[in-house]
Structure formats: C-alpha cells, structure tokens
Amino acid sequence: MIRSLAIAGLAAGALALTVSAAREASALPPPFINDAAILGEVQLDGEVREMPRTLAEYGFFLDAAGRVPDPRLIPYELNTPLWSDGADKLRYVYVPEGKQVKADGEGLLQFPVGSAIIKTFAFGEGDDQRYIETRLLLHRADGWLALPYRWNDDQTEATLALAGARMPITTPAGEDISYRIPNKNQCKSCHSLDGEVIPIGPKARNLSPYLLQRLAGDGRLDTAPKVSHALPRWTDAGADNAMLARAYLDVNCAHCHRPGGGASNSGLDLRWEQDDPFAIGVRKPPVAAGRGAGGFLVSIEPGAPERSILVHRMDSNEPGVAMPELGRSSIDHKAIAVMREWIEGMDR
C-alpha cells in the first residue's frame, strides 16, 4: 500500500503497470473520479443524490476493494496522527484538475472547491488487514461536508453510514472493543470551527517538507511554506517528550479545545501554537468538567500527573469522563505515558 508521497514516487512505476489492468476490472466508466458526486450534483437513474450511497460512486479507487487509488489521488501521512484505537490509516487528497491548493503559513492548507480528503481506517496487517470505514471530507460550493462509509464483511463495498455503526474489533494491543463509526453529526462536531466544517489534519506543520515541496513543484500547491516549528514524528523515539505531548494534544484534542471549537467553553486552548501555560491547562481550574474532573483541582498540576484532570480523563473509558469523547473506545497507553513524563518534568 502506498503510504506516503515519497513511497509513492518510488512505487510510481509499479503502480503505472497496474492501472490498465485495474481499469479493465473496474465497473466505473471514464473519467473514473466523479467530480459531480464530490460536488453533490450527481444524478443517477433520474434521481439527484447529494450523498452517494457507495464509496465506489466517487471513483477514487480503480478496484472495488479500494486498494488501488486513482493516480490523481495524493497519498500523504501526518507527522503526528490522530489516534483511533490503534487503527492504521490510509490518507489521500484529491484536487480537481486545473485547480491549486493554497498554503496558509504553517497552518491548514486551503483546498479548492471540488477537493476531497479521503481517510480509510484499517486493522490487521498484510493479507489479514481489513478496512472498517472510509471517511470523506468533500469541499462543495457551500462548504465542507463530512461523510462516513462502512466497509462490508466481504471487503467489496463501502456504503454510506449516516447513522454510524458499532463493530467488534480486536485492537493491535489485543483488546476486544466495540469500535464506533461516527454518525454524520459526530463527524461534523469534531470538524467544526465557528459553526463551519473544516479539515483537521493537513496542516503544513504536520506534513513532511518533501510532500510540500513535491506538491509545489508539481504545481498543485501555490508555494512550499516555510515551517519553523513542525510537529515531531510520533514514531520518533528520540523526539523531545514535551514536544510529543503538545503535538498529541494539538492533533487529538485541539479541534475542540480552542477558541471557536466545540469545547471552547472549557477555557482550554490546546493548539500547538499556544504558548501560554495557563491556556493549555497548567494550574488551570476546570470550568465545565463536571464529574469528569474526578475531584482534582486543575487540568495540569506540575510534577503531579496523578492529580491532573487531563491525565485522569485521557486514562478513562467511562462515559462523561473519557476524553476525547469521540474517536476512541480504548485507552492510548503510550500517550498516557508521554503525558505523565511531560507533567512530571514540569517545575512545581
């Protein structure tokens, strides 16, 4: 599977050899990527369907199983990714021909209308890997639309799951959980800023410089932005612990805990660029935590992770206590260890 643009470059020759065969096997007619479906203008059997019922209707993949992406998709990875019960994620961006992504400093890339961000969640490795869901962000004329698609047991089709779903999954840690596919409104709640749906992940500071330079060189990005303070790679064993902790909070929590976010009433601002210790929770009393505070007095008590609300909530699966509220059914023990070490190292 192509996992990054660097890998994509190395594998381009091999992929080209498979395209013709894949197209022969595909039931999708040319031009394969259905721009009308992305824009909500597709008409099938005389019926306008704003939300295509199957992932295949978009034409992002050349095979029904969604393993062979159309060459026009851009594969990418994030330095620090969102954690979702240990799921592996395969990420792609589609930008319509003749249009260009705009850089906005170190922040979120600005995608033109007609773009799509595609993220497939999978568990298992090799021949045992199974797709669970594919989430789409579609940039339409009236804004972004977030939609979840659920893969069937035969791994041959993903269908629209507006109501979400629960599925039994064994995580990479060996834990049996009830994995939650979010419903359409839950997708919107995490991607909401000032009432508008926006992407979360593809910020310049959370992408590899190689990817940004390659996109700019190909003319698909207006300029390769200079990033002075990039998020560390979560898999980098030598990364600074405080940097890892802040990056994790930015990616997993700051889409809600920020001004204009769904949890702005908490008073926390967990964005990467926030440098006020009180704003990120250091010695900050809770505002709207309720019983989720666990009887503790501040979000982060320097030197005492065991008395910090932030750690308490991340280390819980109890409804009304667990944070994040959505996107996980298990506990990220690696993240908890990072948070504990970070807080223990703070000056009391």
Side-chain angles (χ1 to χ4, degrees), residues 14 17 45 61 77 80 93 103 116 120 126 142 167 187 220 231-232 250 276 283 291 305 314 329 345 347:
L17 294 175
D45 302 324
F61 299 94
E77 291 183 338
T80 297
V93 167
T120 294
D142 58 352
M167 301 181 66
C187 290
R220 288 182 284 183
L231 272 67
D250 178 81
D276 179 1
R283 297 187 177 92
R291 69 186 185 88
M314 288 180 61
S329 298
D347 294 334

Side-chain angles (χ1 to χ4, degrees), residues 2 36 56 61 110 165 214 276 308 310 328 332 348:
I2 302 171
F61 299 94
Q110 302 301 307
R214 176 72 177 272
D276 179 1
S308 298
L310 183 144
R328 71 172 179 93
D332 188 349
R348 293 176 181 268

Side-chain angles (χ1 to χ4, degrees), residues 7-347:
I7 297 174
L10 295 174
L15 178 61
L17 294 175
T18 68
V19 168
S20 296
R23 287 185 174 174
E24 289 295 325
S26 173
L28 296 167
F32 305 105
I33 292 184
N34 190 340
D35 292 291
I38 298 171
L39 293 169
E41 300 169 348
V42 64
Q43 182 169 333
L44 297 171
D45 302 324
E47 176 189 3
V48 175
R49 285 156 54 169
E50 181 184 3
M51 302 174 188
R53 298 190 184 109
T54 68
L55 183 64
E57 291 176 35
Y58 297 94
F60 294 132
F61 299 94
L62 302 181
D63 61 330
R67 264 63 176 179
V68 183
D70 185 286
R72 286 169 287 182
L73 295 190
I74 304 167
Y76 72 100
E77 291 183 338
L78 300 175
N79 294 346
T80 297
L82 181 77
W83 188 83
S84 307
D85 293 317
D88 192 20
K89 296 173 185 175
L90 303 108
R91 298 175 175 86
Y92 305 92
V93 167
Y94 167 68
V95 179
E97 186 174 355
K99 294 191 176 182
Q100 193 177 57
V101 180
K102 306 292 185 182
D104 186 11
E106 299 188 5
L108 188 68
L109 300 182
Q110 302 301 307
F111 297 93
V113 169
S115 298
I117 300 175
I118 305 135
K119 181 167 65 173
T120 294
F121 294 65
F123 287 89
E125 298 180 356
D127 294 339
D128 295 326
Q129 187 183 65
R130 296 186 62 79
Y131 287 1
I132 304 302
E133 59 167 323
T134 296
R135 300 180 192 175
L136 301 183
L137 273 174
L138 310 175
H139 197 185
R140 296 180 168 177
D142 58 352
W144 288 90
L145 176 68
L147 296 175
Y149 286 80
R150 175 181 177 174
W151 285 90
N152 62 8
D153 291 340
D154 293 333
Q155 299 284 278
T156 57
E157 185 178 59
T159 55
L160 185 63
L162 290 178
R166 285 280 189 177
M167 301 181 66
I169 291 293
T170 300
T171 71
E175 183 178 359
D176 293 327
I177 64 170
S178 177
Y179 178 89
R180 178 165 60 183
I181 297 175
N183 62 44
K184 181 175 179 289
N185 289 333
Q186 289 169 332
C187 290
K188 182 178 179 179
S189 68
C190 284
H191 284 273
S192 179
L193 180 64
D194 293 323
E196 300 291 334
V197 174
I198 63 167
I200 295 173
K203 301 180 178 73
R205 60 174 173 263
N206 203 18
L207 295 167
S208 78
Y210 177 86
L211 173 66
L212 297 171
Q213 292 165 7
R214 176 72 177 272
L215 291 178
D218 290 345
R220 288 182 284 183
L221 178 64
D222 63 340
T223 184
K226 294 181 180 179
V227 178
S228 60
H229 195 39
L231 272 67
R233 291 193 64 84
W234 184 249
T235 55
D236 183 358
D240 177 77
N241 187 267
M243 297 272 285
L244 287 175
R246 289 298 311 277
Y248 188 93
L249 293 175
D250 178 81
V251 171
N252 288 270
C253 310
H255 46 275
C256 288
H257 289 283
R258 59 166 295 171
S264 59
N265 63 336
S266 70
L268 286 173
D269 183 0
L270 299 178
R271 292 176 295 168
W272 175 251
E273 60 268 37
Q274 178 57 258
D275 57 8
D276 179 1
F278 187 81
I280 65 173
V282 178
R283 297 187 177 92
K284 181 186 179 304
V287 173
R291 69 186 185 88
F296 302 119
L297 300 179
V298 294
S299 294
I300 296 174
E301 182 174 335
E306 72 280 1
R307 295 194 298 272
S308 298
I309 297 171
L310 183 144
V311 174
H312 170 68
R313 303 196 75 168
M314 288 180 61
D315 201 18
S316 174
N317 263 337
E318 182 182 347
V321 177
M323 280 288 175
E325 294 178 313
L326 299 174
R328 71 172 179 93
S329 298
S330 58
I331 294 170
D332 188 349
H333 295 289
K334 177 182 176 181
I336 295 296
V338 167
M339 296 301 158
R340 288 184 180 278
E341 183 177 339
W342 174 48
I343 296 172
E344 284 173 351
M346 292 181 179
D347 294 334

